[in-house]
């Protein structure tokens, strides 16, 4: 039994310091640990305390830069926030290979989001669907009254989709409001619009509306990107053949497709996080899209061209914004967007798709060519050496020895260090 209760009323009302003091007392934290909590990095106490509730500190992750990306003829530095070694290096390598044939070609991505309105308790769903169709203009008009600035800038509600669902609670009609949210991720805009049109929809349909919320399956915001990866730079015909086999494996097997897509998301989520976007929305949308056919599939496709080069394509919903949410509040997200130099949300999605494709090719190449573990372990061994207290100037040496010995463990790192120091 721990001698405290986690049921603390009014914890959220306390100041940052008071919350820290309480935890320190309850958990008997060491001075060093308290200092860790006090270190807010580039955040001011007010800034961080207004982002979420019950804040006690700031959590840091490395920010890396992926190199060599040429997308639609333009060069970019790609900021990536991720804890996993090898990911940034792998993306940069694959991007270098793609450069030989002109880099990545991403299609334009329009920022069209779906907001869902759930209409229930309907007697005649066929009649309701007709009513909704007839009143389409009025619904769009009410939606567009909510955000005059968005309309002025060229965005706004564009259309509706009407769907019928059989459920355990009877038939429901689901209205999708399609909204061009321009440079935003868009959840707030479309949620406001959906709430605003709901009373009118209840009035004309006689139904009861429960949910009015964005769908994270952004099927009208699909990013498509293609690149040709040079056969020789990949490692030859055998490696291309290995990648094509890996692709067929993923296509045939959801167990493999999940890991295949995880590799893609290594890149996309790192960029999503760096730019202050909602990683959960992107992740949920990607996996739902992967299973839209009824079977979970890879988000990329591969074939070889007449020269034996690898042709890769990716197709993924990407609701990424460059305004709103955290993008402008978080100092590092703001800087990440500056590093990228993107002018629109669509451009950011084009870049993210290219990064996902590069990440996937790099992983498949490593798996097909040499096994992923080797590269991974070299980087991992450095972390192990550091955790074992190896001083910076000896980390490389100890890490190498760990890999050579095939024992990448802290105890072994300490042993190597002791031997080196004894000499
Ligand atoms: C590891 O983070 C990602 C991979 O497992 C992806 C894959 O297997 O394709 C290497």
């Amino acid at each position: 039994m721990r001698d405290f209760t986690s049921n603390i009323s009014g914890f959220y009302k306390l100041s940052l310091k008071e919350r820290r003091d309480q935890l320190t007392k309850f958990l008997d934290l060491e001075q060093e640990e308290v200092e860790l909590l006090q270190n807010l990095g580039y955040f001011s106490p007010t800034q961080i305390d207004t982002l979420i509730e019950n804040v006690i500190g700031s959590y840091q992750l490395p920010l890396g830069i992926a190199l060599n990306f040429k997308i639609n003829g333009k060069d970019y530095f790609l900021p990536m926030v991720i804890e996993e070694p090898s990911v940034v290096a792998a993306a940069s390598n694959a991007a270098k290979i793609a450069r030989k044939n002109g880099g990545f070609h991403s299609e334009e991505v329009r920022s069209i989001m779906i907001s869902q309105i759930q209409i229930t308790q309907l007697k005649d769903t066929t009649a309701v669907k007709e009513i909704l169709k007839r009143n389409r203009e009025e619904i769009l008009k009410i939606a567009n009254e909510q955000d005059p600035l968005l309309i002025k800038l060229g965005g706004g509600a564009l259309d509706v989709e009407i769907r019928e669902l059989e459920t355990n609670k009877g038939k429901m009609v689901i209205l999708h409001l399609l909204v061009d949210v321009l440079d935003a991720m868009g959840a707030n805009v479309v949620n406001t619009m959906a709430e605003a049109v709901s009373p009118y929809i209840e009035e004309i349909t006689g139904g009861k509306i429960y949910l009015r919320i964005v769908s994270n399956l952004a099927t009208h915001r699909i990013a498509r990107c293609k690149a040709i990866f040079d056969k020789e730079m990949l490692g030859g015909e055998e490696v291309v053949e290995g990648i094509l086999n890996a692709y067929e494996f993923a296509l045939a097997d959801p167990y493999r497709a999940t890991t295949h897509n995880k590799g893609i998301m290594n890149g996309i989520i790192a960029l999503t996080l760096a730019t202050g976007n909602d990683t959960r929305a992107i992740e949920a949308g990607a996996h739902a899209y992967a299973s839209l056919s009824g079977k979970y599939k890879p988000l990329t496709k591969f074939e070889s061209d007449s020269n034996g080069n690898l042709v890769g394509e990716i197709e993924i919903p990407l609701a990424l914004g460059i305004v709103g949410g955290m993008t402008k509040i978080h100092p590092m997200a703001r800087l990440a967007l500056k590093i990228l130099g993107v002018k629109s949300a669509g451009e950011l999605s084009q870049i993210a798709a290219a990064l996902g494709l590069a990440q996937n090719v790099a992983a498949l190449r490593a798996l097909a060519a040499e096994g992923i573990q080797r590269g991974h372990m070299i980087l991992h061994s450095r972390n192990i050496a550091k955790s074992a207290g190896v001083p910076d100037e000896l980390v490389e040496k100890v890490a190498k020895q760990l890999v050579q010995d095939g024992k990448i463990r802290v105890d072994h790192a300490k042993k190597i260090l002791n031997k080196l120091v004894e000499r």
Side-chain angles (χ1 to χ4, degrees):
M1 271 286 279
R2 307 176 86 178
D3 55 357
F4 62 79
T5 169
S6 65
N7 182 358
I8 310 169
S9 86
F11 191 69
Y12 74 100
K13 286 190 206 152
L14 301 180
S15 71
L16 249 168
K17 181 175 179 321
E18 287 165 337
R19 282 185 219 123
R20 261 196 310 256
D21 288 348
Q22 283 221 3
L23 275 198
T24 306
K25 195 175 77 197
F26 287 146
L27 301 173
D28 220 0
L29 297 181
E30 306 284 342
Q31 182 54 29
E32 218 174 278
E33 293 161 336
V34 175
E35 279 165 19
L36 212 53
L37 289 175
Q38 281 167 343
N39 182 356
L40 299 180
Y42 44 73
F43 281 114
S44 75
T46 326
Q47 240 177 353
I48 201 154
D49 203 19
T50 42
L51 283 179
I52 61 164
E53 313 73 41
N54 294 353
V55 175
I56 59 158
S58 165
Y59 185 107
Q60 300 182 13
L61 283 172
L63 168 68
I65 289 285
L67 302 176
N68 306 322
F69 276 83
K70 193 187 263 296
I71 305 163
N72 296 339
K74 191 170 159 189
D75 264 82
Y76 294 95
F77 290 119
L78 269 52
M80 298 175 74
V81 173
I82 188 158
E83 86 299 345
E84 186 174 329
S86 309
V87 170
V88 177
S92 306
N93 284 339
K96 191 170 204 166
I97 299 175
R99 276 182 94 86
K100 172 128 193 248
N101 287 291
F104 298 85
H105 303 279
S106 278
E107 290 177 23
E108 194 186 332
V109 187
R110 280 193 73 191
S111 304
I112 297 178
M113 290 300 275
I114 300 170
S115 195
Q116 295 194 289
I117 298 169
Q118 178 200 24
I119 317 164
T120 68
Q121 298 174 16
L122 298 169
K123 288 193 190 72
D124 182 352
T125 49
T126 313
V128 161
K129 286 193 282 185
E130 270 314 306
I131 293 170
L132 289 171
K133 255 186 235 163
R134 269 206 311 275
N135 290 280
R136 173 184 174 277
E137 291 305 322
E138 185 59 20
I139 295 170
L140 293 177
K141 184 171 156 274
I142 301 171
N144 281 329
E145 279 163 9
Q146 308 311 309
D147 201 331
L149 181 61
L150 184 68
I151 313 303
K152 202 171 141 201
L153 295 173
L158 301 171
D159 207 349
V160 297
E161 289 172 343
I162 301 160
R163 301 167 55 223
E164 184 173 328
L165 299 181
E166 282 288 353
T167 81
N168 292 327
K169 289 245 180 241
K171 284 187 180 172
M172 295 177 187
V173 170
I174 311 299
L175 183 121
H176 284 186
L177 203 54
L178 306 191
V179 185
D180 187 343
V181 297
L182 300 178
D183 283 331
M185 183 273 183
N188 285 337
V189 182
V190 303
N191 291 343
T192 307
M193 287 185 175
E195 283 179 20
V197 299
S198 289
Y200 176 69
I201 292 176
E202 280 191 333
E203 189 187 309
I204 59 174
T205 61
K208 162 111 185 99
I209 291 179
Y210 284 102
L211 268 56
R212 299 151 297 172
I213 187 80
V214 67
S215 170
N216 289 121
L217 180 52
T219 49
H220 295 279
R221 208 169 175 175
I222 304 295
R224 292 183 181 85
C225 178
K226 196 171 178 174
I228 300 172
F229 299 87
D230 182 72
K231 175 179 77 176
E232 297 310 331
M233 287 176 86
L234 280 170
E237 205 170 300
E238 255 308 294
V239 177
V240 173
E241 196 48 31
I243 295 176
L244 293 175
N245 271 276
Y247 166 59
E248 291 300 332
F249 180 11
L251 204 54
D253 178 24
Y255 286 90
R256 174 54 209 157
T258 305
T259 323
H260 178 106
N261 289 342
K262 190 273 183 185
I264 294 171
M265 301 318 281
N266 273 346
I268 291 180
I269 292 299
L271 182 71
T272 302
L273 193 54
T275 53
N277 275 282
D278 182 342
T279 55
R280 290 84 57 212
I282 296 296
E283 196 84 59
H287 299 296
Y289 194 67
S291 39
L292 215 52
S293 66
K295 183 179 168 195
Y296 187 87
K297 288 191 183 157
L299 291 159
T300 48
K301 277 189 192 148
F302 292 100
E303 58 184 23
S304 56
D305 68 9
S306 53
N307 298 318
N309 294 324
L310 181 76
V311 183
E313 268 177 78
I314 185 168
E315 189 178 305
I316 180 169
L318 285 175
L320 293 169
I322 60 164
V323 297
M326 284 266 283
T327 52
K328 290 271 152 63
I329 303 169
H330 192 289
M332 201 55 96
R334 222 169 33 222
L335 180 53
L337 283 168
K338 182 168 179 183
I339 292 170
L340 276 163
V342 285
K343 299 278 182 292
S344 69
E347 190 181 355
L348 179 57
S349 300
Q350 291 180 322
I351 294 170
L355 177 54
L357 177 58
Q359 206 72 64
N360 187 219
V361 168
L364 299 186
R365 177 190 183 212
L367 289 167
E370 52 172 304
I372 197 93
Q373 220 42 13
R374 208 181 78 86
H376 237 83
M377 281 306 148
I378 292 172
L379 286 155
H380 181 54
S381 62
R382 288 192 198 126
N383 290 341
I384 293 290
K386 282 183 198 156
S387 322
V390 174
D392 284 353
E393 64 276 15
L394 291 176
V395 163
E396 231 18 72
K397 204 167 188 166
V398 173
K400 235 186 211 156
Q401 193 62 49
L402 288 170
V403 176
Q404 255 176 31
D405 296 350
K407 290 183 197 165
I408 305 176
R409 300 193 314 257
V410 172
D411 63 322
H412 194 58
K414 282 184 181 157
K415 226 183 256 171
I416 299 170
L417 176 65
N418 287 340
K419 272 195 198 143
L420 283 174
V421 179
E422 272 165 22
R423 267 187 218 158

